[in-house]
Amino acid sequence: KKRQGSRGSASLRTDPEMKPQELNIGLVLPDGMAPGDLPSSPSVKSRPTVMKYQSARYLINGMSPGELLANRIRDEASVQANILKVNSFLNHQVDTHLMSVCGHELARRFRGLEITKVFTGFGSGLMPAQCCAMHLNVPLVFATDNAPLAKPGSEIFSAAIGNSSAGRNFGSMHVSAEFIGPGDRLLVIDDMLSKGGTIVCLAELAAKAGAVIVACGFLIEKEYEGGRLAVSKALYLKRERVQSIVRIASITDGHINIQTDDY
């Protein structure tokens, strides 16, 4: 149920009228586990997960993270040559409060998967990835655009990125075996899912390191660019393990058709 409040006095809170059985809707669970089996405190073998709200999502003035993000896109996003630009709150200037709320939402959805690290590439995906890792209380590892100065004897894994939706080629990404290796269960977080080139690159890096990507989360998915199919082919993940807070179904004559994935 939505609660009214002034934008200037927005605060993080859970809605007391939400029923407990509604709070687990949309959570991605390990195979064979039902929502009722989920422990009240998420269980991670190597590091305990500490979250202020274990299963409820943040509501700000009665709005969910999906509604907040969708409103910002409607109010502030622009379209240039059919390219979505969200520079005022994500890709150039960053609304850190919004990133924290969205990071918490993605952490909430994937909290039952025994994630050991959040994995992302360099760029705008770092902000939501950092917030998600913070709420999961696990390390964040990001692939670099230049080969990192690793400890002597540590292997450096590299993979090509390919082209972006804007037609730019970003070259390669790199990660050191010091920080990702066998036994790691990775949650990939990025700001946008477009053509899927970044995620395919991260998948190749994880495979070379012997780690497993168990889920992917995005703030914005541009459905019309087909990235979900590329991710599915690269990772063989079930549909519920690839989630987006907001989906852009199409951009037509500058109009952005937005749908929210509010679970």
Side-chain angles (χ1 to χ4, degrees):
K1 183 177 178 180
K2 293 187 176 182
R3 301 174 61 182
Q4 301 299 320
S6 63
R7 180 171 295 182
S9 61
S11 60
L12 297 176
R13 59 180 179 270
T14 54
D15 190 334
E17 297 185 22
M18 291 181 71
K19 299 177 182 179
Q21 62 266 30
E22 295 175 336
L23 298 178
N24 284 333
I25 295 175
L27 293 179
V28 179
L29 305 176
D31 293 338
M33 179 179 285
D37 300 330
L38 202 63
S40 58
S41 178
S43 174
V44 176
K45 292 180 181 178
S46 59
R47 293 172 58 131
T49 300
V50 179
M51 293 170 62
K52 184 174 181 181
Y53 301 110
Q54 299 292 353
S55 56
R57 69 164 57 92
Y58 282 146
L59 293 180
I60 300 178
N61 290 339
M63 290 186 290
S64 68
E67 292 169 324
L68 287 169
L69 183 55
N71 285 345
R72 293 297 292 274
I73 294 171
R74 293 187 185 99
D75 293 343
E76 301 178 32
S78 62
V79 178
Q80 295 184 9
N82 220 36
I83 302 298
L84 179 68
K85 297 186 66 176
V86 287
N87 288 353
S88 64
F89 60 89
L90 178 56
N91 290 149
H92 194 26
Q93 175 176 267
V94 179
D95 184 331
T96 56
H97 184 249
L98 179 63
M99 292 303 102
S100 180
V101 171
C102 291
H104 179 279
E105 173 63 7
L106 292 172
R108 184 193 72 84
R109 294 186 187 189
F110 296 118
R111 68 184 179 88
L113 297 182
E114 296 188 343
I115 293 158
T116 61
K117 292 172 184 175
V118 171
F119 191 32
T120 192
F122 64 91
S124 300
L126 270 169
M127 281 68 75
Q130 178 181 1
C131 293
C132 183
M134 177 184 67
H135 288 298
L136 285 171
N137 194 28
V138 299
L140 164 66
V141 177
F142 68 93
T144 60
D145 54 344
N146 295 310
L149 296 175
K151 185 168 60 177
S154 295
E155 188 171 1
I156 303 295
F157 305 108
S158 302
I161 302 176
N163 294 328
S164 71
S165 58
R168 295 174 293 179
N169 191 301
F170 290 114
S172 301
M173 288 196 290
H174 316 268
V175 69
S176 170
E178 294 176 89
F179 306 115
I180 288 183
D184 275 323
R185 295 173 57 83
L186 306 178
L187 169 61
V188 170
I189 297 293
D190 208 356
D191 59 335
M192 289 193 189
L193 174 57
S194 299
K195 294 184 177 181
T198 299
I199 309 307
V200 172
C201 179
L202 293 174
E204 184 176 345
L205 291 174
K208 289 181 176 180
V212 176
I213 294 176
V214 298
C216 298
F218 307 92
L219 300 192
I220 302 169
E221 177 181 350
K222 295 188 280 187
E223 291 184 314
Y224 56 92
E225 294 199 8
R228 181 175 285 269
L229 179 60
V231 171
S232 298
K233 288 183 177 179
L235 297 175
Y236 303 101
L237 293 174
K238 295 180 180 179
R239 181 174 179 82
E240 64 268 19
R241 293 203 182 189
V242 181
Q243 295 201 17
S244 308
I245 295 178
V246 164
R247 292 175 289 116
I248 307 297
S250 63
I251 297 179
T252 307
D253 297 327
H255 174 72
I256 306 171
N257 182 7
I258 304 174
Q259 299 177 344
T260 62
D261 274 355
D262 273 336
Y263 291 96

